[in-house]
């Protein structure tokens, strides 16, 4: 028996570069959360799936056409097998689940166990054996099976492994929301779940915390009821219908999580407000995301902080005192980080970039709303701004295999790169991962962020950049509402008081580059270093997972004390535009 206070469930967790069980920001956040919990010894256990074939390996041809290959990795090289831990009934078949353990070691002596569930067992049918192969692969049926393995299987696995005392089940996004049914099942024993009373539901609510990451209704996971019946059986599907989580004939994982959570939050203050409007009747709070400071700080800046404020590793607030670091030291540490990035770029692509040129970084999942190609809106203007080799651009990011728009965006970047050749160097680095994330966010001079508003719930790569003194150039969305101080932590594109306008934003971007950033970078390097320094002091000291986790402890996790602002459940099912 082991007592833990928090059980953290996430469809993806980015543990280390060699374990390909993540696709993007959600996984990076989950990994950083676990690392922060390990640093302070929070009694937490995490649950996710194994993904034997990973999230694909990206290949790009000369024209920027992406193809995907399965990742081959050997779980037995990195993880500890702990045998069979649970069973779930899926499509009328008993599916057996085994687990693998990864231990995250932080600054404290406590290790945080992460369990990765796996159905590749000879006892299972050929189809069922593939259920934990691919992250975000397969069709709706495959996806619902995966979510049942994570939610239902995960709760049963915790019990079988011997965890007790959980005070908060933290649902990192709605994918794991079926865990609420497993908790209900455990409470009711052999009784029919459809008989659950309000008091039963209230008892489950008391223990669930839900973090939503999606700012638009279409992004919320949902499944047809007929499919839900086929996969989960009539009893569970009937229970879901009875709990009003199935508007418009669809099982909606967000509604399920909202219905069963005591505390609900968005991932930045602005996102909290948007979520509140999207789901009226629920009290939705906000806790802004962060990143794990030591993980995302480059070796050069780690050495600098270790020398000047050694406390920063266990207390990130000390980064506030970066304000006192001599500017030359900031410049030297950044030059080393940039050198490491340019070395990595040369090894990967054969291109030797000039370290003296303003280098703009952009690395994100390649999907439409991230608008990676906004900067190519007017190539003549960009060519003029970058004349005489004053500017170079680095991109990275994978498009989901089924995301035609994301793939087209990568091709457009390749086309623009070809047209700009000789004027502005543009390089797309294949295979964005945690390591490239670290090189790019620390080695670029400016971090570019141009999502369609309000699609970026938070965004975290700009926070990684801030820890390395790299200012952002960003449209007002997500975390940037809080992190932006014009000319101090970076620069705005467009204006938060105005509605989004593609053309206006493109020209605002060009203006900032041409009139503000380039003159500062090449003409007043010490003034540029001052922006870098205040970026660390203001944003590095705040947008980290140590601060984030302390806010979860104070506001969301019931760690013995009462929580602030518990949300009251609405009496009727929500009727909002999200139901459409
Ligand atoms: C940090 C990170 C992300 C998330 O970045 P966003 O700015 O939120 O898009 C995605 N992928 C990798 C590999 C990362 O390191």
């Amino acid at each position: 028996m082991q007592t833990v206070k928090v059980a953290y469930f996430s469809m993806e967790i980015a543990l280390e570069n060699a374990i390909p069980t993540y696709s993007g920001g959600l996984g990076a956040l989950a990994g950083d959360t676990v690392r922060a919990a390990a640093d302070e010894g929070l009694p937490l256990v995490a649950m996710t799936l194994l993904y034997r074939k990973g999230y694909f390996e990206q290949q790009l041809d000369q024209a920027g056409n992406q193809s995907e290959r399965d990742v081959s990795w050997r779980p037995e090289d990195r993880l500890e097998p702990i045998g069979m831990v649970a069973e779930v009934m899926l499509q009328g078949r008993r599916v057996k689940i085994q687990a693998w353990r990864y231990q995250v070691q932080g600054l404290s002596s406590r290790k945080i166990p992460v369990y990765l569930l796996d159905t590749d067992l000879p006892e299972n049918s050929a189809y069922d054996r593939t259920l934990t192969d691919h992250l975000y692969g397969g069709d709706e049926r495959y996806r619902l099976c995966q979510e049942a393995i994570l939610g239902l299987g995960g709760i049963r696995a915790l019990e079988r492994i011997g965890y007790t005392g959980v005070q908060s089940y933290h649902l990192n996004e709605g994918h794991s929301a079926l865990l609420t049914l497993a908790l209900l099942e455990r409470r009711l024993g052999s009784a029919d779940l459809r008989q659950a009373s309000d008091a039963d539901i209230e008892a489950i609510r008391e223990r669930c915390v839900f973090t939503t990451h999606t700012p638009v209704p279409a992004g919320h996971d949902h499944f047809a009821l007929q499919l839900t019946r086929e996969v989960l059986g009539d009893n569970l599907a009937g229970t879901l219908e009875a709990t009003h989580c199935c508007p418009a004939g669809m099982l909606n994982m967000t509604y399920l999580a909202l219905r069963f959570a005591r505390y609900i939050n968005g991932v930045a203050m602005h996102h909290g407000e948007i979520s509140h409007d999207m789901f009226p009747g629920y009290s939705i709070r906000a806790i802004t995301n962060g990143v794990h400071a030591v993980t995302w700080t480059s070796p050069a800046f780690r050495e600098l902080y270790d020398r000047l404020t050694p406390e920063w590793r266990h207390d990130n607030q000390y980064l506030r005192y970066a304000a006192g670091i001599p500017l030359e030291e900031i410049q030297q540490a950044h030059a080393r980080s940039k050198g490491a990035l340019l070395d990595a770029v040369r090894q990967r692509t054969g291109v030797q970039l000039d370290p003296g040129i303003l280098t703009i970084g952009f690395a994100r999942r390649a999907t439409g709303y991230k608008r990676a190609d906004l900067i190519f809106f007017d190539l003549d203007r960009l060519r003029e701004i970058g004349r005489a080799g004053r500017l170079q651009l680095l991109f990275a990011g994978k498009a989901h295999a089924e995301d035609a728009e994301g793939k087209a965006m990568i091709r457009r970047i390749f086309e623009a790169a070809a047209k700009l050749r000789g004027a502005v160097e543009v390089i797309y680095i294949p295979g964005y991962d945690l390591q490239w994330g670290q090189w790019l966010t620390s080695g670029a001079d400016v971090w570019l962020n141009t999502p369609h508003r309000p699609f970026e719930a938070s965004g975290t790569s700009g926070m990684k950049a801030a820890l390395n003194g790299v200012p952002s150039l960003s449209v007002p969305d997500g975390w940037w509402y809080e992190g932006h101080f014009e000319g101090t932590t970076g620069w705005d594109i467009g204006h938060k008081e105005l509605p989004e306008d593609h053309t206006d934003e493109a020209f605002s971007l060009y203006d900032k580059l041409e009139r503000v950033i380039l003159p500062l970078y090449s003409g007043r390097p010490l003034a540029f270093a001052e922006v870098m320094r205040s970026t660390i002091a203001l944003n590095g000291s705040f947008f980290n997972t140590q601060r984030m986790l302390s806010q979860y402890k104070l506001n969301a996790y019931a760690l013995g004390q009462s929580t602030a602002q518990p949300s009251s459940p609405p009496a009727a099912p929500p009727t909002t535009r999200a139901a459409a």
Side-chain angles (χ1 to χ4, degrees):
M1 292 298 230
Q2 299 163 70
T3 305
V4 287
K5 294 195 169 157
V6 181
Y8 184 82
F9 281 69
S10 185
M11 195 72 171
E12 44 174 313
I13 304 185
L15 295 167
E16 55 173 83
N17 216 40
I19 302 184
T21 56
Y22 63 93
S23 85
L26 188 75
L29 175 79
D32 281 0
T33 301
V34 175
R35 284 182 273 276
D39 282 344
E40 72 162 72
L42 182 73
L44 178 146
V45 54
M47 192 63 68
T48 187
L49 303 185
L50 179 73
Y51 311 119
R52 280 180 180 274
K53 296 183 178 164
Y55 193 67
F56 65 89
E57 204 179 290
Q58 177 189 46
Q59 291 171 315
L60 296 172
D61 71 12
Q62 298 283 314
N65 296 299
Q66 175 185 295
S67 52
E68 303 87 29
R69 273 218 310 236
D70 287 347
V71 187
S72 51
W73 68 291
R74 289 165 37 89
E76 53 277 26
D77 291 345
R78 306 259 153 201
L79 311 170
E80 179 193 345
I82 60 158
M84 195 100 81
V85 291
E87 269 181 25
V88 283
M89 282 296 278
L90 295 177
Q91 313 191 76
R93 291 192 295 272
R94 217 172 269 289
V95 178
K96 297 208 186 296
I97 303 171
Q98 64 175 336
W100 300 77
R101 180 163 49 210
Y102 181 89
Q103 306 257 30
V104 178
Q105 176 78 65
L107 296 169
S108 75
S109 56
R110 182 187 283 269
K111 289 187 179 131
I112 301 285
V114 178
Y115 293 95
L116 300 96
L117 303 179
D118 173 20
T119 60
D120 185 20
L121 287 163
E123 296 91 322
N124 290 332
S125 76
Y127 177 79
D128 295 341
R129 291 185 73 158
T130 68
L131 284 174
T132 50
D133 276 354
H134 294 281
L135 172 60
Y136 306 139
D139 56 10
E140 300 267 287
R141 177 179 301 272
Y142 184 82
R143 179 72 166 263
L144 182 54
C145 288
Q146 288 192 325
E147 297 193 10
I149 291 164
L150 179 62
L152 303 173
I155 293 291
R156 292 170 197 163
L158 283 182
E159 196 166 19
R160 174 77 75 87
I161 300 166
Y163 287 101
T164 57
V166 177
Q167 292 172 2
S168 289
Y169 294 89
H170 187 163
L171 288 68
N172 187 40
E173 192 49 291
H175 308 121
S176 58
L178 290 172
L179 75 82
T180 57
L181 291 190
L183 292 175
L184 202 54
E185 217 167 51
R186 202 157 68 178
R187 180 179 168 86
L188 295 186
S190 56
D192 188 335
L193 290 192
R194 285 169 289 196
Q195 308 300 318
S197 67
D198 287 350
D200 294 322
I201 293 180
E202 192 52 36
I204 308 306
R205 283 185 75 251
E206 269 311 302
R207 288 150 73 198
C208 292
V209 168
F210 171 43
T211 301
T212 172
H213 293 258
T214 318
V216 289
H220 296 277
D221 232 4
H222 51 273
F223 301 97
L225 268 182
Q226 180 56 33
L227 176 67
T228 306
R229 273 185 223 108
E230 286 168 26
V231 171
L232 300 179
D234 289 337
N235 189 359
L236 289 186
T239 307
L240 289 165
E241 282 184 82
T243 46
H244 308 301
C245 301
C246 307
M250 304 290 271
L251 164 61
N252 184 310
M253 292 307 221
T254 301
Y255 286 155
L256 179 60
L258 289 170
R259 177 78 181 96
F260 278 94
R262 167 193 75 227
Y263 179 90
I264 305 160
N265 71 290
V267 288
M269 300 316 275
H270 184 247
H271 176 238
E273 289 164 27
I274 289 171
S275 304
H276 189 82
D277 292 345
M278 203 157 43
F279 304 112
Y282 293 93
S283 165
I284 302 186
R285 319 301 303 171
I287 294 177
T288 303
N289 282 343
V291 296
H292 188 255
V294 174
T295 299
W296 293 106
T297 299
S298 70
F301 270 101
R302 282 185 202 170
E303 278 173 34
L304 180 58
Y305 300 154
D306 281 344
R307 189 150 50 78
L308 300 178
T309 49
E311 299 87 346
W312 77 286
R313 285 179 183 255
H314 68 263
D315 183 352
N316 297 168
Q317 295 183 89
Y318 275 85
L319 290 172
R320 185 67 179 73
Y321 305 119
I325 299 178
L327 292 174
E328 293 72 18
E329 301 247 26
I330 302 269
Q331 290 176 315
Q332 283 161 16
H334 180 66
R336 275 180 59 199
S337 308
K338 190 170 181 178
L341 169 63
L342 300 193
D343 280 349
V345 170
R346 181 172 41 75
Q347 280 170 26
R348 174 62 66 95
T349 65
V351 180
Q352 176 65 61
L353 294 174
D354 180 345
I357 294 176
L358 180 71
T359 304
I360 295 187
F362 186 110
R364 294 187 169 77
R365 284 184 303 115
T367 190
Y369 85 81
K370 301 268 192 184
R371 232 181 357 164
D373 52 350
L374 181 72
I375 192 168
F376 303 120
F377 182 79
D378 182 338
L379 291 180
D380 289 334
R381 179 80 194 273
L382 186 59
R383 204 177 277 119
E384 169 62 18
I385 294 171
R387 71 184 174 278
R390 300 198 304 163
L391 188 64
Q392 54 201 9
L393 308 178
L394 288 174
F395 286 85
K398 298 176 180 177
H400 185 278
E402 306 295 326
D403 184 353
E405 198 189 342
K407 289 183 167 180
M409 203 166 68
I410 298 178
R411 279 196 300 275
R412 286 199 297 278
I413 295 172
F414 273 68
E415 283 161 22
K419 289 182 183 151
L420 289 166
R421 200 153 292 143
V424 177
E425 186 81 57
V426 180
I427 295 185
Y428 203 107
I429 297 149
Y432 184 36
D433 60 8
L434 296 176
Q435 177 61 66
W436 276 104
Q438 214 245 29
W439 278 323
L440 284 159
T441 56
S442 62
D445 297 309
V446 172
W447 196 247
L448 182 66
N449 182 42
T450 49
H452 281 296
R453 291 141 63 188
F455 287 73
E456 194 62 271
S458 166
T460 52
S461 58
M463 302 175 181
K464 299 168 190 169
L467 279 165
N468 293 286
V470 174
S472 285
L473 171 59
S474 173
V475 301
D477 205 8
W479 82 284
W480 193 236
Y481 272 94
E482 300 156 50
H484 167 247
F485 295 94
E486 187 69 15
T488 299
T489 57
W491 304 272
D492 235 347
I493 297 170
H495 201 286
K496 60 173 166 291
E497 310 301 334
L498 299 176
E500 176 173 302
D501 181 302
H502 198 74
T503 310
D504 283 355
E505 290 183 351
F507 285 104
S508 164
L509 195 173
Y510 295 141
D511 282 346
K512 285 278 159 78
L513 265 181
E514 185 169 40
R515 298 187 188 160
V516 181
I517 299 172
L518 270 165
L520 197 65
Y521 180 82
S522 12
R524 300 170 57 212
L526 279 181
F528 192 91
E530 231 172 283
V531 177
M532 301 184 70
R533 185 169 68 180
S534 46
T535 296
I536 301 166
L538 291 175
N539 287 350
S541 67
F542 184 82
F543 295 99
N544 53 67
T545 35
Q546 188 178 75
R547 183 269 314 154
M548 182 194 83
L549 194 64
S550 81
Q551 289 196 287
Y552 276 100
K553 282 168 55 189
L554 290 168
N555 300 285
Y557 300 156
L559 300 177
Q561 74 277 45
S562 67
T563 48
Q565 300 269 12
S567 66
S568 50
T575 50
T576 73
R577 58 176 188 265

